[in-house]
């Protein structure tokens, strides 16, 4: 039996709006990128996004790594200064600056001073208030930023910023490190304004990250921009829930980083306030999730050395938190990754990974919508799973059905052939309830090992 004749194991349907893989700059921003000389390769390495009319509402999700880099700590402090009630997770912003080639992590007080100097330089060339500058940095840990080169680059970049799609694309290109392709995504959704009238708004995102990627943020940087008109606290709620379903479900190699950051900025907050009715908030959230999900899929597909995107969709879980835990465990398994690389339909590795699944930490569970007390109680607990009800399909082939006694005869050669594709879908149904979830990863290849065995030499 294959997925075509088994509706329980068909791909989980999505209600998200369509996404275009294009850079489309929402109204109220200008952007650009160029080569400042941070990278030895001479590739673009400095990006700047500026709000054109007053501060934008802003929300952020940061790495929990205790070696959090200077840009993470400064951005958190700046958001806290602009809106203390946001606890460093939401506030106001006028600019986002990104440097690529040095993480500015584990650089001590000197690294903090370097990052602050960059913030002053951004304020000087853009007119932004220094406390309203948000920072991104990516690259080798333990290296100092060449501040003078960055300052000179900002002086050249600021006059060239453009309120065009090309400006956002240039910023996306400058965000990259080991990425082989530039990652952009855009969706448009209809959101009611404060008078109830429908208005089409844009949600656009850029991202980088193809290595050191694993849940509890996943190692990556992303900037999402919209012109919806939502206040900071609503953006933070939306971003927290979306990150729990997308970037916290992304794994390339099991390592998280010191610089993980996602920013969501809304340029229209002061000029076109959106309705705060649940329907309007849900519409904007679907747009943000559609863009974040597509960027996460692009990151997984471009994982260092990867030859195949792995998607794992889980249905029939006791709830969504359990479903996400199982999906995350499957795509995070090195044995599953290796099997996909070899186009080996080894369902035993999938079953084993699912059986080891544990729920996310309490912060992620709370952000996803669970009551804080329930999140604290369930954090790290095993996902509910009964082998007697578990069903597994690989690339359209049902390979395990616990209700029928376990292993199911299938055409192994046909399954191997189906896995020899840009994407392998692993599908599980737990037979316990209505919970659904998905996760994204990639295969583990010799190229990944080669690239990371020589990263600093």
């Amino acid at each position: 039996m294959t997925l075509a004749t088994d509706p329980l194991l068909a791909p989980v349907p999505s209600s998200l709006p369509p996404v275009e893989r294009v850079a489309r700059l929402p109204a109220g921003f200008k952007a650009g990128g160029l080569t400042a000389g941070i990278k030895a390769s001479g590739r673009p390495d400095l990006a700047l996004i500026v709000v054109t009319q007053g501060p934008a509402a802003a929300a952020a999700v940061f790495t929990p790594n205790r070696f959090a880099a200077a840009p993470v700590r400064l951005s958190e402090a700046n958001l806290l200064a602009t809106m203390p009630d946001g606890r460093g997770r939401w506030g106001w912003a006028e600019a986002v600056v990104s440097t690529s080639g040095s993480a500015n992590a584990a650089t001590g007080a000197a690294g903090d001073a370097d990052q602050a100097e960059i913030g002053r330089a951004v304020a000087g060339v853009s007119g932004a208030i220094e406390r309203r500058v948000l920072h991104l940095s990516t690259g080798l840990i333990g290296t100092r930023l060449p501040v003078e080169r960055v300052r000179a680059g900002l002086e050249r970049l600021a006059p060239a910023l453009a309120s065009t799609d090309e400006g956002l694309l240039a910023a996306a290109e400058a965000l990259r490190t080991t990425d082989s392709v530039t990652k952009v995504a855009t969706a448009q959704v209809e959101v009611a304004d404060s008078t109830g009238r429908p208005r089409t708004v844009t949600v656009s995102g850029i991202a980088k990250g193809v290595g050191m990627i694993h849940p509890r943020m996943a190692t990556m940087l992303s900037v999402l921009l919209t012109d919806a008109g939502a206040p900071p606290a609503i953006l933070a709620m939306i971003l927290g829930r979306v990150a729990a379903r997308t970037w916290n479900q992304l794994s390339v190699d099991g390592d998280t980083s010191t610089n993980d950051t996602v920013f969501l900025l809304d340029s229209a907050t002061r000029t076109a306030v959106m309705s705060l009715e649940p329907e309007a908030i849900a519409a904007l959230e679907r747009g943000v999730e559609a863009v974040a999900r597509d960027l996460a899929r692009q990151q997984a597909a471009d994982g260092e050395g990867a030859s195949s995107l792995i998607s794992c969709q889980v249905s029939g879980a006791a709830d969504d938190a359990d479903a996400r835990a199982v999906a995350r465990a499957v795509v995070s398994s090195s044995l599953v990754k290796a099997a996909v690389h070899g186009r080996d339909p080894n369902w035993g590795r999938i079953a084993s990974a699912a059986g080891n699944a544990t729920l996310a930490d309490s912060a992620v569970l709370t952000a996803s919508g669970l009551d804080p007390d329930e999140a604290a109680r369930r954090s790290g607990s095993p996902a509910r799973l009964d082998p007697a009800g578990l069903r597994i399909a690989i690339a359209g082939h049902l390979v395990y059905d616990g209700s029928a006694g376990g292993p199911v005869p299938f055409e192994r050669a046909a399954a191997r052939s189906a896995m020899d594709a840009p994407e392998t879908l692993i599908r599980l149904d737990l037979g316990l309830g209505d919970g659904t979830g998905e996760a994204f990863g990639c295969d583990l290849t010799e190229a990944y090992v080669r690239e990371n065995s020589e990263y600093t030499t």
Side-chain angles (χ1 to χ4, degrees), residues 21 297-303 306-311 340-341 343 395 416-425 440-443:
R21 288 187 175 175
R297 285 173 54 82
Q298 292 182 53
Q299 289 169 301
D302 194 30
S307 65
S308 178
L309 166 66
I310 303 173
S311 296
V340 172
H341 178 55
R343 296 355 186 201
R416 286 179 64 91
S417 178
M419 293 174 72
D420 191 15
E423 179 175 0
T424 294
L425 173 64
F440 312 107
C442 61
D443 58 340

Side-chain angles (χ1 to χ4, degrees), residues 37-431:
I38 306 169
K39 294 177 181 175
S41 66
R43 294 174 181 152
D45 51 18
L46 177 63
L48 184 62
I49 299 170
V50 173
V51 183
T52 59
Q53 295 182 347
V61 179
F62 296 114
T63 178
N65 194 306
R66 288 190 293 275
F67 254 104
V72 171
R73 290 182 280 108
L74 183 54
S75 294
E76 191 171 16
N78 285 353
L79 287 172
L80 183 64
T82 63
M83 185 170 280
D85 290 348
R87 302 182 300 280
R89 293 299 180 268
W90 69 87
W92 300 97
E94 295 182 34
V96 178
V97 61
S98 169
T99 53
S100 180
S102 165
N104 197 15
T107 48
D112 291 334
D114 292 342
Q115 203 69 50
E117 182 59 31
I118 289 171
R120 283 189 288 273
V122 170
V125 300
S126 69
I129 296 172
E130 186 180 339
R131 277 298 194 184
R132 291 178 179 170
V133 176
L134 300 178
H135 298 251
L136 300 169
S137 193
T138 178
L140 188 63
I141 293 171
T143 59
R144 296 272 301 278
L145 281 165
V147 174
E148 291 305 318
R149 292 181 185 178
V150 175
R151 182 186 291 109
L154 288 168
E155 291 172 354
R156 289 187 288 119
L157 178 57
L161 296 179
S163 296
T164 64
D165 298 346
E166 290 76 16
L168 183 59
L169 181 60
E173 291 171 346
L175 202 66
R176 293 165 51 177
T177 48
T178 57
D179 302 59
S180 68
V181 296
T182 303
K183 297 168 180 63
V184 295
T186 295
Q188 290 190 309
V189 293
E190 193 172 86
V191 176
D193 66 17
S194 57
T195 69
R197 290 177 297 185
R199 185 168 64 92
T200 299
V201 303
T202 298
V203 180
S204 196
I206 62 176
K208 65 77 57 180
V210 293
M212 288 184 75
I213 290 187
H214 191 62
R216 197 47 168 102
M217 257 300 291
T219 302
M220 45 79 64
L221 304 177
S222 183
V223 182
L224 305 178
L225 305 174
T226 186
D227 51 6
I234 295 297
L235 293 182
M237 179 183 69
I238 289 173
L239 184 59
R241 292 196 295 223
V242 165
R245 296 191 291 262
T246 58
W247 283 303
N248 276 309
Q249 295 294 110
L250 168 64
S251 182
V252 167
D253 50 18
D255 282 296
T256 55
S257 179
T258 54
N259 292 60
D260 309 342
T261 304
V262 177
F263 293 132
L264 171 58
L265 274 65
D266 191 329
S267 64
T269 307
R270 295 182 180 273
T271 58
V273 178
M274 66 174 268
S275 166
L276 298 185
E277 293 298 317
E279 294 82 2
I281 294 172
L284 178 57
E285 184 169 336
R286 285 193 295 273
V288 173
E289 182 169 358
V291 170
R293 179 182 184 271
D294 195 77
L295 290 172
R297 285 173 54 82
Q298 292 182 53
Q299 289 169 301
D302 194 30
E304 289 177 345
S307 65
S308 178
L309 166 66
I310 303 173
S311 296
C312 180
Q313 295 183 336
V314 176
S315 60
D319 64 10
D320 290 353
D322 277 355
R324 287 193 295 269
V326 171
R328 190 171 60 248
V330 170
V331 303
S332 300
S333 166
S334 294
L335 290 175
V336 172
K337 291 173 177 292
V340 172
H341 178 55
R343 296 355 186 201
D344 179 11
N346 188 340
W347 59 263
R349 292 180 174 179
I350 297 168
S352 177
N356 281 325
T358 58
L359 269 69
D361 65 46
S362 59
V364 171
L365 292 177
T366 300
S368 72
L370 283 188
D371 175 81
D373 290 337
E374 182 183 4
R377 177 177 59 81
R378 295 182 64 190
S379 173
S381 63
R384 289 162 286 190
L385 187 148
D386 181 1
L390 174 66
R391 305 173 79 190
I392 303 172
I394 303 174
H397 294 262
L398 186 68
V399 294
Y400 183 90
D401 186 347
S403 64
V408 174
F410 66 98
E411 297 180 14
R412 187 168 294 273
R416 286 179 64 91
S417 178
M419 293 174 72
D420 191 15
E423 179 175 0
T424 294
L425 173 64
I426 298 174
R427 189 69 176 80
L428 292 86
D429 188 89
L430 307 190

